[in-house]
Amino acid sequence: QVQLLESGGGVVQPGGSLSLSCAASGRTLSTYHMGWFRQAPGKEREFVAAISRIGLRTLYADSVKGRFTISRDNTKNTVLLQMNSLKPEDTAVYYCAADQTIVLHSTLAEYDSWGQGTQVTVSS
């Protein structure tokens, strides 16, 4: 399995921006669809965004459309999540995940490899 490590989380005021990065090791990243999920305290993990193997397709949760952008650089073995216009509701631990199935998924079951997460806090 691929090993994933998220970074870039922090504290930001509402309306601000953060860029998250997911670094992969152990396997070539191009063999995986990649997704970002998040989990707030006391809540279940939820889908945020996903990107296909070479970045031709993307999928976003309705709650982040127009604000978040997922991208990947397979040469650098990284997946990025640019988060703009952040809201307090975006506060959560953000997880990077890898999926080897054919199509892009927005559900947890298809993602086999997970990072440890990075905390994003949006607060004034």
Side-chain angles (χ1 to χ4, degrees):
Q1 304 293 323
V2 64
Q3 288 76 52
L4 305 173
L5 178 62
E6 304 93 339
S7 63
V11 180
V12 65
Q13 292 186 322
S17 298
L18 281 175
S19 294
L20 305 184
S21 179
C22 174
S25 62
R27 302 284 297 276
T28 54
L29 189 62
S30 61
T31 62
Y32 300 91
H33 297 313
M34 300 298 297
W36 285 96
F37 293 76
R38 65 188 182 187
Q39 187 167 21
K43 308 207 71 175
E44 294 190 3
R45 196 166 299 184
E46 66 177 3
F47 172 76
V48 175
I51 188 166
S52 60
R53 302 182 200 280
I54 61 172
L56 295 179
R57 293 190 63 197
T58 56
L59 186 65
Y60 295 94
D62 288 342
S63 59
V64 306
K65 283 182 180 178
R67 300 189 297 121
F68 291 11
T69 302
I70 187 171
S71 62
R72 67 191 300 160
D73 187 338
N74 290 339
T75 300
K76 298 179 180 179
N77 259 15
T78 58
V79 179
L80 304 178
L81 184 68
Q82 177 65 46
M83 305 185 295
N84 299 323
S85 301
L86 283 162
K87 305 174 181 179
E89 306 93 275
D90 296 318
T91 296
V93 176
Y94 283 71
Y95 298 89
C96 178
D99 165 23
Q100 294 194 82
T101 62
I102 298 298
V103 300
L104 218 49
H105 291 99
S106 61
T107 53
L108 291 167
E110 291 77 17
Y111 292 84
D112 294 329
S113 299
W114 294 82
Q116 293 298 305
T118 185
Q119 177 71 49
V120 172
T121 301
V122 184
S123 176
S124 60

